[in-house]
Amino acid sequence: MTHVHVPGVRELIPEHEIRARVLSLAERIDEDYSEVGELLLLGVLRGSYIFIADLSRALSIDRRVDFIALSSYEREEQRSGVRLIMDARVPIEGRHVLVVEDILDTGGTLTYLLDLLAARHPASIRSCVLVRKPEQKRQVEADYVGFEIPDTWVVGYGLDYDDRFRALPFIGTVDPDALD
Ligand code: IMP
Ligand code: MG
């Protein structure tokens, strides 16, 4: 076990719990896609890069990994629009696609992405999110969810606060007033 102390960040989900949960998600996905030729894991940059690295390695089924980049929302604004910054390289048509996202909050990001991809006629499309916040009026649900978390800003395991803390091995809550 690594112990990392970062001022302003409080551990919410320890590393070993993330590891165990990723393995159990991978088991379910292996089962659900056992009859399918190949699965395309489509990671949403940048928040999902560590999650997809671990998830893709924990799977046994045939899989490819590709990425798409969307604009992240501005903390100062209420609900800014979602924008495509970088598209996938692998053609989506006819493939079984699993979108791998870091966080499901309002669902605005996921809705945008699922609409975009559905228009390209995949064989199937589902989503897997690492953490889910308790939003009441969510526009869309995810098929696989790692953890339910409180409505607070979280960092670590790929997640950032102003591009900081992505490389922390655990998921933690951040107190902006206590940062260096
Ligand atoms: P949604 O579109 O409201 O579902 O917001 C989801 C997106 O906002 C995610 O893809 C994240 O990139 C970002 N986000 C929301 N909450 C957090 C957080 O607590 N930490 C880091 N990123 C977050
Ligand atoms: Mg994101």
Side-chain angles (χ1 to χ4, degrees):
M1 278 279 296
T2 31
H3 285 277
V4 187
H5 181 72
V6 184
V9 178
R10 202 159 50 86
E11 186 176 275
L12 183 67
I13 308 169
E15 192 177 357
H16 69 270
E17 277 184 34
I18 300 173
R19 195 177 312 125
R21 188 72 187 123
V22 169
L23 292 180
S24 74
L25 283 174
E27 259 177 45
R28 269 182 57 205
I29 295 167
D30 270 341
E31 261 177 52
D32 294 352
Y33 288 89
S34 60
E35 307 294 310
V36 165
E38 188 186 66
L39 178 63
L40 173 62
L41 295 165
L42 194 56
V44 184
L45 293 174
R46 289 169 283 176
S48 74
Y49 80 108
I50 293 179
F51 181 38
I52 199 172
D54 286 346
L55 184 69
S56 61
R57 289 180 296 174
L59 289 168
S60 306
I61 47 166
D62 286 343
R63 70 276 191 200
R64 284 181 193 223
V65 177
D66 198 0
F67 294 96
I68 206 160
L70 302 175
S71 61
S72 56
Y73 68 15
E74 304 291 316
R75 284 195 318 282
E76 293 77 17
E77 295 168 25
Q78 272 298 313
R79 299 258 186 267
S80 77
V82 182
R83 216 158 36 88
L84 181 68
I85 293 172
M86 186 195 83
D87 207 340
R89 289 201 187 184
V90 175
I92 302 301
E93 186 171 353
R95 288 184 195 276
H96 294 277
V97 179
L98 182 64
V99 171
V100 180
E101 194 21 342
D102 52 2
I103 294 196
L104 182 61
D105 186 11
T106 65
T109 308
L110 194 58
T111 301
Y112 171 88
L113 196 51
L114 293 176
D115 288 351
L116 182 89
L117 298 171
R120 299 177 184 180
H121 309 293
S124 72
I125 184 154
R126 286 185 183 165
S127 59
C128 176
V129 301
L130 175 63
V131 298
R132 178 163 67 186
K133 289 189 177 182
E135 166 70 44
Q136 303 297 313
K137 288 171 290 210
R138 195 158 19 235
Q139 310 173 22
V140 67
E141 269 312 330
D143 299 283
Y144 305 93
V145 178
F147 298 94
E148 306 288 346
I149 60 162
D151 191 11
T152 172
W153 199 265
V154 289
V155 296
Y157 198 70
L159 302 164
D160 75 305
Y161 174 83
D162 271 349
D163 262 326
R164 299 175 66 191
F165 311 120
R166 289 193 197 274
L168 289 178
F170 57 85
I171 294 170
T173 57
V174 65
D175 174 6
D177 298 328
L179 296 178
D180 297 333

